[in-house]
Amino acid sequence: MATTESRAESLSIGEVAERTGLSVHALRFYEREGLLVGPVRRTASGRRRYTAADVEWLLICVKLRESGMPLADLKRFAELVRQGPGNEAERLRLLDAHQRRVEGQIQALEECRSLIAWKVGVYAEHLARGEAGGLWDPTA
């Protein structure tokens, strides 16, 4: 019988899906596309078994994808990690380029938020006064 520690380190695909928010289908896709840093172990009957390290890596992948990292970049990053020490500068270049993209997106969203806040203020002010005069009207 497995110990508590080994059971905690051996997770089914459903358990990993629950912990990462990825679907079972997405987990299989990640494996097929080479996005994991290690091979997924299998039971004698062929069922996938994941480790805590697999889950930790997948959680990183989820955040990188949520932040818009292209699949090709994520795949390259995983390849570099799998290769082990010696390519940290290339990993840094990938992450740095992604960070710059995300910062650009954040800046663009801040500008959008600013415009929206201004428009909300304009409409709130006009409605509080009970008048629509001065609001943009394409039919006028």
Side-chain angles (χ1 to χ4, degrees), residues 16-31:
V16 173
E18 196 172 298
R19 291 181 187 203
T20 62
L22 294 167
S23 68
V24 168
H25 176 74
L27 288 167
R28 289 182 184 127
F29 173 80
Y30 271 46
E31 184 180 354

Side-chain angles (χ1 to χ4, degrees), residues 11-49:
L11 303 165
S12 72
I13 195 167
E15 291 168 323
V16 173
E18 196 172 298
R19 291 181 187 203
T20 62
L22 294 167
S23 68
V24 168
H25 176 74
L27 288 167
R28 289 182 184 127
F29 173 80
Y30 271 46
E31 184 180 354
R32 263 192 327 274
E33 291 297 312
L35 298 172
L36 302 176
V37 291
V40 175
R41 293 178 301 147
R42 303 264 183 164
T43 65
S45 62
R47 293 186 180 269
R48 291 170 174 84
R49 298 306 295 176

